[in-house]
Amino acid sequence: GALAGPSADDLSAAQELTMDERQEMIQGMVARLSDRLATEGGSADEWAQLIGALAVLGQQDRAAAIYSEAKTRFAADAAALTRLKAAATRAGIDQ
């Protein structure tokens, strides 16, 4: 399935926002994804998306913690672990 992200309407509305408002909107979307994964779970691709988003926001420590949790959740799924490792590598947190 497709990964969640901003809709066309969200992108259109974001063009009208200040930089601070855009940053707040992005952080809100990332927080909602994080909360949903923590409470409902999700696919490895969604976890990888969260790792990347946190890294872009400069939250490498949090991204590393999410990566660690995701590795535990997907320990029995080699393909998922490969996708998660790729996301962590892109995020600069896979050491």
Side-chain angles (χ1 to χ4, degrees):
L3 294 177
S7 68
D9 288 341
D10 291 336
L11 293 175
S12 178
Q15 293 180 13
E16 305 297 322
L17 301 176
T18 66
M19 288 301 289
D20 288 342
E21 290 169 332
R22 282 184 200 161
Q23 187 72 8
E24 188 175 312
M25 180 179 121
I26 292 165
Q27 289 176 346
M29 286 189 281
V30 172
R32 285 189 296 279
L33 175 59
S34 179
D35 290 346
R36 184 174 59 76
L37 292 178
T39 59
E40 301 171 21
S43 70
D45 290 331
E46 290 171 309
W47 285 84
Q49 181 182 31
L50 179 58
I51 291 164
L54 290 169
V56 167
L57 291 174
Q59 298 179 23
Q60 276 73 19
D61 289 346
R62 189 157 169 233
I66 295 295
Y67 177 46
S68 180
E69 182 178 348
K71 287 190 297 185
T72 300
R73 288 183 182 242
F74 294 96
D77 185 340
L81 291 174
T82 298
R83 290 193 302 278
L84 291 165
K85 182 174 177 55
T89 299
R90 285 190 302 275
I93 59 166
D94 183 33
Q95 288 134 15

